[in-house]
Amino acid sequence: MSEAELILVIDDTPANLDVISEALTDAGYEVAIALDGDRALKQVEYTLPSLILLDVMMPGIDGFETCRRLKASAATKDIPVIFMTALSDTADKIKGFQLGAVDYITKPFEEMEVLARVNTHVKLRNLSKQLEQKVSSRTAELTAALAQVKQSQLQLIQSEKMSALGNLVAGVAHEINNPVGFIYGNVKELSLALRDIVDHLELYQKECPNPGQDIELHAEDIDLKYVLEDTAKILSSMEIGCDRLRNISTSLRTFSRTDTAVKVSANICDGIDSTLMILQHRLKAQVANPEIQVIKEYGDIPPVKCYLGQLNQVFMNVLSNAIDAVNDRNCGHSYNEIAAAPNTITITTALTEDRQRVAVKIKDNGNGMSEDVKAQIFDHLFTTKLVGQGTGLGLSISRQIVEEMHGGSLTCSSVLGEGTQFAIELPID
């Protein structure tokens, strides 16, 4: 044996202790002794033996009770116990095995038999410990492998989702941009042409102050002055509409921005604004819900080196959840009650105290979350939404994007009945 195993011998007869101790010591074992069960139980609190030889008949608590207490303790329950007894009653042996003993040695002792049984059970215990260690090690490996598989799943889902969404949005933006550019250019030309026509009409009116009854009647019928003024206003409105469409198109392209292999400096406020533009239809007043007020408190922050397309997905997930939260708050309240205490989402950007990171805080005044829900919101596949309304992937993917891809942090604070705030911190470089 490379390291001596400790054997605890419990017997109230000194002669028996001497015989067994000598035999075990000669065989290379370390030996500890105890004269009764009480002393033995105190002794194992300080030093755990590899095996216990336990006499059945002892004063105070007998061997059976001592064994029961040993097996009841988490620290000693796995130590093999071999009973030593002159009893040959089968019922006593069965009782010992039921209490957890692994073997019996019958008095008077045969030295070779004692050593053979001790050797066997010490080896069995060591093999059992080795097997437990291997199982524990293998379990840890499998747990790590499972975590890696989940991580890979998240990365694949996130990558495929962003790729599909990016292609779709970029395509839509491109399709919008072409006709909008055509209309915008023609509206400009039409405005100039209309100005020329109006100038020409004014020359006619100046040169021909009495154009005749038919022309005067027709001018009155169509309200010529109003038509000319209103047409100019219509064209101006069309220009404003085209500008808005162009802004939407720009926002779509910003949101779907294809990430390169390296991070690029970007203004994350542009990403937030592009996301809000896409979510505008959910922020406007609905039949049952008044408008959700978005309060922007943008601080003076520098560009951040990032994958902006990935961050836009984080903003989309967090803002969508905030909209859901304030809409859930509306349940059971009338339109007027909601309007009196408006739904709000507050977005704050600022530098952290060390000026090395940018902090983005998105806060809603929804119903908030319980501690139990808050503890699970970033877990893979966890969702509080109904089947078909949520996948449980949004916040899990968001945390991966912020923390693993950008070295930042994504945290949540929430008070039930008061609202929720998500805080995103990103290193500037």
Side-chain angles (χ1 to χ4, degrees):
M1 289 174 288
S2 58
E3 186 177 340
E5 304 278 0
L6 176 64
I7 309 298
L8 174 61
V9 184
I10 310 169
D11 197 315
D12 63 326
T13 305
N16 289 339
L17 291 175
D18 290 341
V19 171
I20 294 177
S21 296
E22 183 178 354
L24 292 172
T25 301
D26 291 343
Y29 291 103
E30 287 188 15
V31 180
I33 61 173
L35 293 172
D36 56 52
D38 283 322
R39 294 180 187 178
L41 293 172
K42 290 186 175 114
Q43 195 165 322
V44 296
E45 290 179 3
Y46 300 100
T47 307
L48 293 176
S50 299
L51 181 140
I52 297 173
L53 290 171
L54 176 59
D55 187 21
V56 172
M57 304 299 293
M58 292 186 298
I61 60 172
D62 63 11
F64 291 135
E65 177 61 18
T66 303
C67 183
R68 187 191 68 76
R69 296 188 188 182
L70 286 167
K71 296 302 177 182
S73 168
T76 57
K77 65 184 179 64
D78 294 326
I79 300 174
V81 174
I82 299 177
F83 275 122
M84 303 182 296
T85 181
L87 300 174
S88 58
D89 190 348
T90 302
D92 288 325
K93 292 182 178 180
I94 292 173
K95 180 179 179 181
F97 286 125
Q98 287 175 338
L99 288 169
V102 296
D103 210 343
Y104 263 93
I105 296 174
T106 305
K107 298 178 181 179
F109 303 118
E110 286 290 339
E111 183 177 320
M112 297 304 294
E113 179 187 1
V114 172
L115 291 176
R117 292 179 185 274
V118 168
N119 287 338
T120 297
H121 289 293
V122 167
K123 287 179 180 176
L124 285 174
R125 182 171 189 261
N126 288 337
L127 288 171
S128 177
K129 287 169 68 177
Q130 291 173 12
L131 181 60
E132 288 175 1
Q133 289 174 353
K134 287 182 178 179
V135 169
S136 177
S137 175
R138 186 60 178 156
T139 300
E141 290 175 6
L142 290 173
T143 301
L146 179 60
Q148 183 60 44
V149 168
K150 287 184 176 180
Q151 193 82 336
S152 298
Q153 286 177 332
L154 281 178
Q155 289 175 346
L156 181 61
I157 292 168
Q158 184 266 336
S159 177
E160 291 295 326
K161 185 175 179 180
M162 279 304 294
S163 177
L165 180 62
N167 290 335
L168 174 64
V169 173
V172 171
H174 178 73
E175 290 301 317
I176 290 174
N177 211 38
N178 284 339
V180 166
F182 172 77
I183 294 170
Y184 190 80
N186 283 325
V187 166
K188 285 284 189 185
E189 292 299 320
L190 186 57
S191 295
L192 294 174
L194 179 64
R195 184 69 261 166
D196 290 340
I197 292 170
V198 171
D199 290 343
H200 193 71
L201 281 173
E202 288 176 348
L203 281 174
Y204 262 108
Q205 290 173 335
K206 185 177 179 180
E207 294 295 328
C208 302
N210 300 306
Q213 188 177 4
D214 290 341
I215 293 176
E216 288 182 352
L217 287 174
H218 185 265
E220 289 177 7
D221 287 342
I222 64 172
D223 197 349
L224 181 61
K225 185 177 180 180
Y226 172 80
V227 168
L228 292 175
E229 291 175 353
D230 195 49
T231 303
K233 292 177 182 177
I234 290 171
L235 289 172
S236 177
S237 297
M238 290 173 67
E239 282 190 51
I240 292 171
C242 285
D243 283 335
R244 178 162 174 74
L245 283 170
R246 291 171 77 180
N247 289 336
I248 292 173
S249 177
T250 301
S251 296
L252 289 171
R253 289 199 303 274
T254 301
F255 179 81
S256 64
R257 178 173 173 174
T258 303
D259 288 318
T260 58
V262 294
K263 296 175 184 174
V264 295
S265 290
N267 185 339
I268 59 174
C269 292
D270 289 343
I272 297 172
D273 288 339
S274 69
T275 306
L276 289 171
M277 179 73 76
I278 293 169
L279 291 171
Q280 193 64 39
H281 67 288
R282 297 192 62 197
L283 297 168
K284 291 180 178 178
Q286 308 291 330
V287 174
N289 299 322
E291 176 188 11
I292 299 172
Q293 298 177 12
V294 176
I295 303 168
K296 297 180 186 178
E297 298 177 352
Y298 292 170
D300 184 14
I301 58 173
V304 173
K305 271 199 171 182
C306 63
Y307 303 105
L308 187 58
Q310 305 282 4
L311 284 183
N312 287 340
Q313 186 182 355
V314 176
F315 299 144
M316 174 66 77
N317 287 332
V318 175
L319 286 168
S320 293
N321 284 341
I323 293 170
D324 290 337
V326 294
N327 284 337
D328 288 344
R329 166 181 172 263
N330 296 339
C331 294
H333 296 83
S334 69
Y335 192 98
N336 290 334
E337 287 175 333
I338 301 166
N343 299 320
T344 59
I345 296 174
T346 304
I347 306 171
T348 306
T349 64
L351 279 172
T352 55
E353 289 185 3
D354 61 9
R355 304 187 69 80
Q356 300 300 310
R357 296 158 77 88
V358 165
V360 179
K361 296 179 181 178
I362 299 175
K363 182 177 182 180
D364 65 65
N365 64 341
N367 289 326
M369 292 179 279
S370 65
E371 289 298 319
D372 182 53
V373 171
K374 189 169 67 175
Q376 302 179 75
I377 56 169
F378 293 111
D379 291 352
H380 180 64
L381 299 180
F382 175 79
T383 180
T384 58
K385 297 175 183 176
L386 298 175
V387 175
Q389 294 183 7
T391 62
L393 294 172
L395 290 177
S396 180
I397 290 173
S398 295
R399 171 167 274 185
Q400 182 185 0
I401 291 171
V402 173
E403 298 188 355
E404 296 183 20
M405 299 186 69
H406 290 86
S409 65
L410 173 58
T411 57
C412 171
S413 57
S414 184
V415 177
L416 194 61
E418 294 184 16
T420 300
Q421 175 177 279
F422 283 90
I424 303 163
E425 289 194 6
L426 300 163
I428 294 171
D429 189 354

